[in-house]
């Protein structure tokens, strides 16, 4: 009896629990196993934590962009830069017309040269047009001088405002630090925007005068447009005259815009967002005005990725079908690891290959050079005929390609080809998985109905695995659009929306991309400056795009999965 | 007719496959051929030791008045000037990074990869163990899985920006090994987690049941009877992750990598400086020498040489992973 009470005193739990329980050790009422459980559970939250932290720090740095950019836009208006830009637009329209004339001249010259005419005669033949071009260009000189003058005037105001702002910041810092004398020494000028804008507006009559003279001059000039027998030139002339008429008729518009312009119209707050999302310019560290519009970068990223996908999807899916359905076991065992190997080629090595070899090769090929003539000369004579013959073949072949020869070594296609190679392993692996997951009975049923292998593949297997293949393509797309080194090295890094009017020829133009720009500018940028925040905004956009792509890919897998049964 | 059409279509598929292989092979050949000539030599010791063991230097190309041309690295150039003066030189050009070797970059890459893998493996294996052994579904688990999946899709440059904003600026670790380790570790975490979870799930259920039936606790079961069998698989997937982060450039560009650092990482005044100073890294070095240096016969050596060494290292890691996987599959059959 006494022994029983002793046990009870030692362990107050019911008998069965005291005997069966494995853990006698407890902290805070938790057994060792539970502690381990919670430790592991806590650790699993790291993924969420990291994702949250990424979101948090990107937004923390990026969101400050909007108020800062608002101020930037406001100064653009208040200092009168916007006013000057209205006139600049007119001057630019003039030079666009001049450029059109240049194009006409170039084309004609090229044609005559091809026809075997010598240079002196060509100059003679195109002299009237060249003279017209010169006159047309020179007619804009007063306008350009005027723009230059106003530019200086407005830029000076902005400069003064900038200095005043810096000084006021410095003064505040001095005051904070307690050195009043230093603070008093700093003079902060208050820029009188009203006065400055009136000074600008006082210039409108001058512009009206310039425009009137210009109108008269151009009217006379257009009458003297040199006639030509060339039908192409004739139609171009008609087009030019129409455009010039439009240009002249727009003069009153410009003047009206200037008269209506006011330095203190408030800018709507949402404009700082819309100008970031839809702004067509990304200009930084300019003396005039910084613009942060992501359109050229987004279009660049998209163009490069789409070109890459157009190449990678047929190759990747084709290879997956081949390996999964057609190839024999030895081919499978060799090719699958090899394509996995491609996935680990570091992107910077691919980028280097693009810079060192591929870009040059594409440009040379567009010039009809398949093999470097210097290299061919090194070969023993009896074999030289082969590369020389191929070079000649390349020349005839490429002379038919519409956009050749190309001048840029680094362009969309160079980056696109290499990105395609990066995307192929992902697309291949996931598509192969998807094909593998199609139940065997589908295939057997198809064969039993008398379909051949090709029909089975195209009509049964691919449709059945389509959700997997689409998500493979999307994941490949995500990988390609987020890739940095290849585009930074090979896309040409020119911040410009490619000229799509040429059709397919856009793939031979250089672009800049979101990822490439971030990587390029972050090391040089001042912390917390507007540009720094704009770059973080770009990173946020990239982050959101990748999340979106991921999300769609998951939806495809979930929603369109063929029920296996 | 349809037979022939079928065969022709298969040839199209075959062509696609071999086109990929041919293009990748072209890259391997090009870099292997030109880079191999930098790293290997025809005379003993057959390996270009200075290239692998020295720091990068500027190359000075001197044309002497007697018509001779000399290619000297920085130090040799200074020695030459001390000895001969500059009178005999008719013309000189210099190319940055084109002389010397890439030793600090190799060391930096190894350090970066090793450190971040330690972090990623610890966190990754614990998370994977939780997901495969402890979790019983529910909202939290769905959220965790969703996060992992999304984390896998985040572009590396965004990880780089995050590392820059958080470790470099907010925590004030500056551009350092530590910042790089954490940035890379979190980048590779999804790969390690998914890989480890798969190999944990591959361990047959019977192993766990047997252990539990013998009275072992849950933790004892996992520690003694699940993890050991899953470990080779975990290693295999992690090695793939190693290959991935070794090749990563965008994430370390502004978190860990210096363009040039003369001293080796452990040559520091205080031991803590080791963690708080940046390193040179092969991928960043390749970027620098291919983007900021013109392509010519003098710079070709360092460009192709480093690309070759880097590709070789990464391929070696990937090959290890593939071989290990074959080995593991042969060894464990249940």
């Amino acid at each position: 009896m006494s022994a029983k009470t002793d046990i009870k005193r030692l362990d107050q739990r019911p008998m069965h629990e005291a005997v069966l329980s494995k853990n006698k050790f407890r902290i805070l009422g938790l057994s060792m196993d539970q502690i381990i459980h919670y430790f592991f559970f806590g650790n699993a939250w790291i993924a969420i934590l990291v994702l949250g932290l990424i979101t948090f720090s990107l937004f923390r740095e990026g969101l400050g962009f909007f108020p800062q950019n608002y101020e930037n836009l406001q100064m653009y208006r208040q200092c009168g830069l916007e006013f000057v830009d209205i006139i600049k637009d007119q001057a630019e329209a003039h030079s666009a017309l001049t450029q059109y004339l240049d194009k006409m001249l170039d084309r004609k010259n090229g044609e005559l040269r091809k026809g075997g005419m010598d240079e002196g005669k060509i100059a003679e033949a195109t002299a009237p047009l060249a003279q017209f071009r010169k006159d047309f260009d020179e007619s804009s000189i007063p306008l350009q001088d005027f723009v230059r003058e106003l530019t200086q005037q407005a830029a000076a105001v902005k400069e003064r405002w900038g200095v005043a702002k810096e000084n006021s910041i410095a003064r505040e810092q001095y005051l904070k630090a307690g050195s009043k004398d230093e603070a008093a020494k700093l003079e902060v000028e208050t820029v009188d925007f009203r006065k400055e804008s009136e000074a600008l507006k006082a210039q409108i009559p001058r512009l009206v005068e310039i425009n009137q003279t210009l109108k008269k001059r151009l009217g006379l000039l257009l009458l003297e447009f040199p006639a030509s027998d060339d039908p192409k030139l004739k139609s171009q002339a008609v087009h030019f005259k129409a455009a010039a008429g439009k240009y002249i008729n727009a003069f009153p518009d410009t003047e009206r815009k200037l008269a209506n312009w006011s330095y203190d119209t408030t800018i709507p707050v949402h404009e700082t967002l819309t100008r970031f999302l839809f702004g067509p310019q990304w200009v930084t560290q300019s003396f005039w005005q910084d613009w942060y519009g992501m359109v050229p970068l987004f279009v660049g990223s998209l163009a490069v990725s789409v070109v890459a996908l157009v190449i990678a999807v047929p190759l990747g899916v084709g290879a997956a079908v081949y390996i999964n359905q057609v190839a024999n076991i030895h081919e499978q065992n060799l090719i699958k690891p090899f394509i996995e190997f491609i996935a680990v080629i570091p992107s910077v090595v691919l980028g280097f290959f693009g810079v060192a070899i591929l870009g040059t090769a594409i440009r040379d090929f567009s010039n009809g050079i398949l093999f470097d003539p210097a290299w061919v000369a090194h070969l023993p004579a009896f074999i030289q005929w082969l590369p020389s013959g191929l070079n000649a073949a390349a020349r005839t072949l490429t002379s038919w390609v519409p956009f050749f020869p190309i001048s840029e070594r680094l362009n969309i296609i160079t980056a696109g080809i290499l990105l395609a190679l990066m995307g192929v392993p992902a697309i291949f692996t996931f598509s192969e998985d998807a094909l593998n997951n199609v139940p065997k009975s589908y295939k057997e049923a198809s064969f039993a109905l008398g379909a051949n292998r090709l029909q089975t593949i195209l009509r049964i297997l691919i449709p059945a695995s389509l959700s997997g293949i689409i998500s493979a393509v999307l994941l490949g797309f995500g990988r390609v659009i987020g890739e940095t080194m290849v585009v930074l090295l090979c896309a040409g890094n020119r911040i410009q929306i490619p000229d799509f009017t040429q059709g397919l020829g856009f793939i031979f133009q250089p672009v800049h991309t979101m990822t490439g720009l971030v990587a390029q500018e972050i090391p040089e940028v001042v912390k917390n400056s507007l540009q720094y925040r704009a770059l973080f905004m770009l990173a946020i956009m990239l982050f959101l795009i990748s999340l979106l792509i991921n999300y769609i890919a998951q939806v495809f897998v979930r929603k369109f999965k063929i029920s296996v049964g | 007719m349809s037979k022939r059409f079928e065969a022709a279509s298969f040839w199209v598929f075959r062509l696609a496959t071999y086109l990929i292989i041919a293009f990748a092979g072209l890259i391997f050949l090009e870099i292997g051929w030109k880079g191999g000539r930098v790293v290997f030599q025809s005379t003993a010791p057959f390996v270009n030791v200075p290239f692998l063991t020295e720091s990068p230097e500027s190359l000075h190309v001197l044309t002497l008045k007697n018509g001779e041309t000399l290619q000297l690295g920085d130090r040799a150039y200074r020695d030459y000037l001390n000895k001969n003066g500059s009178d005999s030189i008719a013309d000189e050009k210099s190319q940055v990074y084109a002389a010397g070797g890439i030793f600090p970059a190799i060391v930096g890459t190894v350090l970066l990869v090793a450190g971040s893998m330690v972090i990623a493996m610890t966190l990754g294996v614990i998370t994977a163990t939780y997901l495969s052994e402890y979790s019983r579904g529910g909202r939290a688990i769905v959220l965790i899985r969703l996060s992992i999946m999304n984390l896998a899709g985040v572009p590396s440059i965004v990880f780089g920006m995050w590392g820059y904003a958080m470790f470099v600026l907010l925590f004030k670790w500056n551009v350092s090994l530590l910042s790089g380790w954490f940035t890379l570790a979190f980048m590779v975490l999804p790969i390690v987690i998914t890989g480890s979870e798969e190999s944990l799930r591959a361990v047959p259920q019977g192993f766990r049941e047997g252990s539990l039936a013998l009275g072992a606790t849950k933790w004892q079961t996992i520690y003694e009877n699940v993890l050991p069998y899953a470990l080779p698989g975990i290693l295999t997937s992690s090695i793939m992750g190693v290959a991935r982060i070794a090749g990563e450039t965008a994430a370390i560009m502004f978190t860990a990598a210096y363009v040039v650092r003369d001293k080796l990482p452990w040559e520091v005044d205080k031991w803590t400086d080791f963690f708080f100073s940046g390193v040179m890294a092969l991928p960043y070095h390749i970027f620098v020498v291919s983007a900021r240096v013109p392509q010519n016969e003098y710079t070709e050596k360092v460009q192709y040489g480093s690309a070759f060494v880097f590709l070789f290292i990464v391929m070696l890691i990937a090959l290890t992973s593939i071989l290990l996987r074959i080995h593991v599959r042969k060894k464990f059959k249940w």
Side-chain angles (χ1 to χ4, degrees):
Chain A
M1 184 68 201
S2 71
K4 206 178 174 189
T5 41
D6 270 348
I7 288 172
K8 221 173 184 184
R9 204 175 302 130
L10 273 173
D11 195 331
Q12 293 292 325
R13 283 175 295 169
M15 189 65 178
H16 64 96
E17 201 179 289
V19 174
L20 288 176
S21 167
K22 292 167 226 160
N23 337 291
K24 279 143 193 126
F25 177 77
R26 275 167 188 275
I27 301 173
L28 298 170
L30 294 172
S31 69
M32 200 60 206
D33 253 23
Q34 278 170 314
I35 292 170
I36 293 172
H37 183 167
Y38 283 119
F39 169 70
F40 276 44
F41 178 65
N43 197 66
W45 278 79
I46 279 186
I48 298 178
L49 189 74
V50 170
L51 207 61
L53 279 176
I54 290 179
T55 325
F56 173 73
S57 30
L58 289 184
F59 276 91
R60 196 181 80 106
E61 304 284 341
L63 286 185
F65 169 77
F66 294 114
Q68 243 172 330
N69 192 36
Y70 187 72
E71 191 185 43
N72 174 39
L73 292 175
Q74 211 165 14
M75 283 310 121
Y76 174 66
R77 177 164 289 173
Q78 288 187 333
C79 297
L81 306 191
E82 190 182 37
F83 182 84
V84 182
D85 270 347
I86 297 173
I87 309 172
K88 258 191 194 165
D89 283 346
Q90 189 191 322
E92 257 157 39
H94 198 116
S95 28
L97 286 170
T98 316
Q99 274 165 19
Y100 188 80
L101 289 174
D102 281 341
K103 253 205 250 163
M104 284 168 73
L105 259 174
D106 275 355
R107 198 189 58 84
K108 189 71 197 165
N109 281 339
E111 236 168 53
L112 292 178
R113 209 166 290 138
K114 248 186 202 165
M117 206 184 259
D118 64 70
E119 291 297 323
K121 277 206 175 140
I122 292 174
E124 205 175 296
T126 54
L129 190 57
Q131 181 61 39
F132 180 81
R133 184 230 166 253
K134 195 168 158 243
D135 289 343
F136 188 84
D137 192 26
E138 277 172 2
S139 66
S140 75
I141 287 175
L143 181 65
Q144 279 164 1
D145 288 344
F146 181 64
V147 167
R148 212 166 296 133
E149 209 177 287
L150 284 191
T151 303
Q152 277 167 5
Q153 199 176 330
V157 177
K158 185 153 181 173
E159 174 81 30
R160 271 164 57 207
W161 169 76
V163 172
K165 193 185 160 200
E166 264 171 40
N167 281 350
S168 81
I169 291 172
R171 187 160 73 178
E172 259 168 47
Q173 275 170 348
Y174 278 131
L175 284 177
K176 244 189 210 164
S179 40
K180 277 189 180 160
D181 298 342
E182 297 279 353
K185 253 187 237 164
L186 278 174
E187 225 174 281
V188 178
E189 180 199 13
T190 4
V191 182
D192 185 356
F193 292 123
R194 173 187 291 273
K195 206 182 95 200
E196 303 298 344
S197 81
E198 269 163 13
L200 279 176
K201 279 193 130 180
Q203 303 279 5
I204 297 178
R206 256 184 79 195
L207 178 75
V208 174
E209 204 178 301
I210 289 172
N211 275 353
Q212 266 167 0
T213 334
L214 187 59
K215 192 174 171 183
K216 249 183 237 156
R217 172 112 195 256
L218 289 181
L220 288 175
L221 204 57
L222 283 175
L223 288 179
E224 292 166 17
F225 196 92
S228 166
D229 307 328
D230 185 346
K232 181 92 199 265
L233 221 50
K234 253 185 195 164
S235 78
Q236 275 179 328
V238 171
H239 180 256
F240 174 80
K241 276 181 189 164
K246 229 186 202 166
Y247 161 64
I248 295 166
N249 288 336
F251 286 174
D253 262 356
T254 310
E255 285 153 19
R256 207 174 312 121
K257 262 192 218 160
L258 291 178
N260 290 339
W261 178 84
S262 157
Y263 78 98
D264 59 354
T265 349
T266 44
I267 300 166
V269 179
H270 62 79
E271 199 150 297
T272 172
L273 175 67
T274 46
R275 277 200 193 243
F276 175 76
L277 290 179
F278 308 113
Q281 274 174 299
W282 185 281
V283 183
T284 55
Q285 287 160 13
S286 132
F287 86 101
W288 185 243
Q289 172 70 10
D290 289 354
W291 293 110
Y292 299 97
M294 62 173 267
V295 169
L297 307 170
F298 180 71
V299 171
S301 279
L302 203 64
V304 173
S305 312
V306 166
V307 168
L309 281 189
V310 165
I311 302 169
V313 169
L315 289 182
V317 176
V321 170
Y322 178 71
I323 290 303
N324 197 271
Q325 296 298 325
V326 186
N328 60 34
I329 190 84
H330 300 292
E331 255 179 323
Q332 278 187 28
N333 286 343
L334 276 175
I335 292 172
K336 265 166 87 167
F338 189 87
I339 292 186
E340 266 181 60
F341 250 71
I342 295 177
V344 298
I345 303 179
S347 59
V348 71
V349 172
L350 283 180
F352 165 65
F353 180 81
V355 170
I357 308 291
L358 187 64
T360 321
I362 291 176
R363 188 179 58 185
D364 282 355
F365 179 69
S366 81
N367 283 305
I369 305 167
L370 201 56
F371 298 99
D372 185 1
W375 178 75
V376 174
H378 277 295
L379 293 175
F382 69 90
I383 208 167
Q384 274 185 12
W385 62 270
L386 183 68
S388 316
L390 285 174
N391 264 352
R395 260 194 299 282
T396 25
L397 197 70
T398 52
S399 65
W400 289 98
V401 181
F403 317 107
F404 281 179
I406 56 174
S407 53
E408 302 289 342
R409 190 164 62 96
L410 303 175
N411 51 33
I412 295 180
I413 191 75
T414 312
I417 290 176
L418 292 169
L419 281 181
L421 191 67
M422 294 199 71
V424 156
I427 295 174
F428 170 82
T429 318
F430 290 121
S431 307
E432 225 246 85
D433 270 359
L435 285 169
N436 244 344
N437 286 340
V438 177
K440 253 213 164 93
S441 55
Y442 284 33
K443 204 171 148 187
E444 283 158 5
S446 167
F447 282 142
L449 289 171
N452 63 23
R453 279 207 297 172
L454 184 66
Q455 286 164 337
T456 310
I457 290 171
L458 293 182
R459 300 276 173 82
I460 304 293
L461 290 177
I462 290 184
S465 57
L466 201 59
S467 71
I469 291 176
I470 289 175
S471 67
V473 171
L474 279 169
L475 291 174
F477 180 54
R479 194 159 291 182
V480 162
I481 206 168
E483 167 50 37
T484 312
M485 299 324 286
V486 167
V487 289
L488 182 56
L489 283 165
C490 303
N493 296 353
R494 188 201 286 165
I495 309 179
Q496 204 176 55
I497 301 171
D499 181 9
F500 290 108
T501 53
Q502 295 181 20
L504 264 184
F506 81 90
I507 61 171
F508 299 111
Q509 296 170 13
V511 287
H512 215 327
T513 54
M514 296 166 76
T515 49
L517 189 95
V518 169
Q520 189 187 25
E521 289 192 348
I522 268 286
E524 301 158 6
V525 81
V526 184
K527 202 199 150 190
N528 287 339
S529 63
L530 179 57
Q531 192 188 354
Y532 167 87
R533 296 194 184 283
L535 293 177
F536 270 91
M537 275 308 294
L538 276 187
I540 291 175
M541 297 321 286
L542 268 172
F543 181 64
L544 294 180
I545 291 172
S546 72
L547 286 191
L548 184 74
I549 293 174
N550 235 352
Y551 172 75
I552 300 175
Q554 285 165 33
V555 166
F556 261 100
V557 169
R558 224 176 304 140
K559 252 198 176 162
F560 302 98
K561 206 167 209 169
I562 278 193
S563 58
V564 178
Chain B
M1 171 61 208
S2 96
K3 203 85 189 159
R4 216 175 279 169
F5 181 67
E6 191 182 357
S9 320
F10 286 162
W11 269 105
V12 172
F13 289 126
R14 189 170 291 136
L15 195 69
T17 316
Y18 283 96
L19 203 64
I20 299 170
I21 289 173
F23 189 57
L26 183 74
I27 294 177
F28 291 139
L29 277 182
E30 174 75 27
I31 290 174
W33 174 244
K34 287 201 180 156
R37 282 195 300 186
V38 177
V39 178
F40 299 108
Q41 321 169 317
S42 55
T43 52
F46 302 110
V47 177
N48 188 347
V49 178
F51 184 71
L52 295 177
T53 55
E54 281 179 6
S55 302
E57 288 180 341
S58 292
L59 178 76
H60 296 267
V61 183
L62 310 178
T63 315
L64 300 184
K65 288 202 174 125
N66 59 15
E68 235 181 299
T69 32
L70 285 179
Q71 295 189 18
L72 302 172
D74 257 338
R75 267 168 294 165
Y77 174 65
R78 252 174 279 134
D79 288 347
Y80 178 85
L81 284 188
N82 286 340
K83 216 188 284 171
N84 305 330
S86 55
D87 297 339
S88 59
I89 302 170
D91 180 39
E92 60 171 294
K93 281 183 287 187
S94 68
Q95 305 277 352
V96 279
Y97 314 128
I102 51 169
F103 186 59
I106 299 176
V107 169
T109 305
V110 171
L111 280 177
L112 274 174
V113 168
S116 49
M117 256 350 258
V118 169
I119 299 172
M121 288 276 283
T122 317
L123 296 176
V125 173
I126 293 175
T127 306
T129 314
Y130 178 76
L131 289 177
S132 125
E133 304 299 317
Y134 286 102
S135 73
R136 284 200 203 88
R139 273 224 187 113
I141 301 303
V142 172
L143 203 63
I144 289 171
R145 288 197 185 283
L146 210 65
S147 305
I148 294 171
M149 212 186 301
N150 282 325
L151 221 46
V154 174
S156 57
I157 185 97
V158 175
F159 272 105
M161 287 289 269
W162 170 61
Y164 179 69
M166 189 146 142
F167 302 123
V168 178
L169 299 180
L170 188 68
F171 293 176
K172 299 206 167 53
W173 289 350
N174 297 326
V175 174
S176 63
L177 256 186
L178 211 56
S179 307
W181 279 347
F182 278 96
T183 312
L184 288 178
F186 289 125
M187 220 188 94
V188 79
L189 196 60
I191 300 179
V192 175
I193 293 176
T194 33
S196 309
E197 207 195 331
E198 249 169 56
S199 38
L200 280 166
R201 279 182 193 277
V203 177
Q205 201 58 32
F207 285 28
R208 299 183 184 88
E209 285 159 3
S211 165
L212 286 171
L214 287 173
T217 63
K218 181 124 188 166
W219 170 239
Q220 282 166 340
T221 306
I222 292 168
Y223 186 73
E224 303 278 350
N225 253 338
V226 179
L227 281 180
Y229 298 103
L231 204 60
I234 292 175
L235 280 181
T236 315
S237 68
S238 311
I239 292 174
M240 233 30 204
V242 171
R244 175 92 182 272
I245 50 175
E248 191 45 61
T249 321
I252 58 166
M253 272 177 94
F254 14 88
T255 55
Y258 284 156
V259 177
V260 168
R261 189 179 174 215
D262 293 339
K263 288 180 185 167
L264 288 169
W266 49 81
E267 290 173 350
V268 285
D269 302 332
K270 258 190 317 180
W271 67 270
T272 46
D273 285 354
F274 172 75
F275 297 102
F276 291 104
S277 45
V279 289
M280 286 183 72
L282 265 178
Y284 191 51
H285 190 64
I286 293 171
F287 168 68
V288 171
V289 296
S290 48
R292 309 214 185 130
V293 171
Q295 264 80 30
N296 59 36
E297 50 178 321
Y298 304 114
T299 56
E300 219 180 57
K301 193 183 138 212
V302 66
Q303 287 163 344
Y304 279 96
S306 2
F308 177 77
V309 171
F310 189 36
L311 202 58
F312 187 76
I313 293 175
V314 173
M315 290 288 155
L316 208 64
I317 299 171
L319 194 68
T320 318
S321 157
I322 290 173
L323 291 181
L324 195 67
R325 188 162 56 201
I326 295 171
H327 180 70
V328 169
R329 278 189 189 154
K330 269 188 196 151
K331 194 175 155 198
F332 291 116
K333 270 196 180 138
W334 35 59

